[in-house]
Amino acid sequence: MSRLLVSNTLRALSARGYCAHLVDTHKIGTREIVGYGLNGTPNYVDRVDFPMPAVRFRPETPDIKLLREKEKGDWKLLSVAEKKALYRASFCQTLAEVRAPTGEWKSIMGCTLIFASLAVWLYMFFKLFAYNPTLPGTFDDAHQKAQLKRMLELKMNPITGLSSKWDYEKNDWKK
């Protein structure tokens, strides 16, 4: 009765356009709407922080309907298998199953190591084949002295640079 009331109310409101986003019957099919749900949407999701989904996990079958009628009576008369069947009709996983580790860290760690090894191989390739291992000729002492001499002749940066520390009259560094 409550299911019929909730579904009819939502359908009537959606027909008027007030809350058309609340009724997604093409997504939930014939599953029973049993609550408000996360953010008011009738969807199913297993979450630890929101353990009561808005719709049941499975649509009602004749077996489940019989169990639901039997459920209304004394629960001591239900067997453990029947209780589990009722639970699995409403929920996909138990909270312990939701909290259980999934092993996803292994794939993340594997992908991280693969990318790190690719980066090392790429570095090795560039180090061996792309970059010239010998320094240019301008890095030897004769070229550096000639460059320093040229900078002093042109008086480059005379206020704070090399030229400010050179004594042009004595032709030596200032002390």
Side-chain angles (χ1 to χ4, degrees), residues 13-129:
L13 289 173
S14 68
R16 292 183 190 155
Y18 292 127
C19 56
H21 65 282
L22 290 179
V23 180
D24 290 332
T25 54
H26 64 281
K27 290 183 181 177
I28 64 171
T30 60
R31 294 186 290 170
E32 182 181 5
I33 298 174
V34 292
Y36 182 73
L38 184 65
N39 296 329
T41 56
N43 57 2
Y44 182 88
V45 62
D46 281 325
R47 292 178 58 143
V48 177
D49 59 337
F50 195 82
M52 297 299 198
V55 295
R56 297 200 188 275
F57 177 64
R58 291 195 178 117
E60 284 204 19
T61 61
D63 297 335
I64 298 296
K65 284 183 183 179
L66 288 174
L67 285 176
R68 294 236 187 267
E69 289 299 319
K70 197 173 178 184
E71 175 187 33
K72 292 177 184 174
D74 189 13
W75 275 51
K76 293 178 183 173
L77 299 176
L78 290 172
S79 69
V80 174
E82 291 173 333
K83 290 177 187 175
K84 285 183 180 179
L86 279 170
Y87 184 85
R88 291 298 180 178
S90 294
F91 303 102
C92 179
Q93 296 177 321
T94 63
L95 289 177
E97 291 170 344
V98 172
R99 286 190 191 112
T102 60
E104 184 182 10
W105 69 272
K106 296 173 191 173
S107 62
I108 293 170
M109 185 63 95
C111 289
T112 302
L113 290 174
I114 286 172
F115 284 121
S117 67
L118 286 176
V120 168
W121 280 107
L122 191 64
Y123 168 77
M124 294 296 289
F125 172 78
F126 280 112
K127 183 77 173 166
L128 293 175
F129 299 110

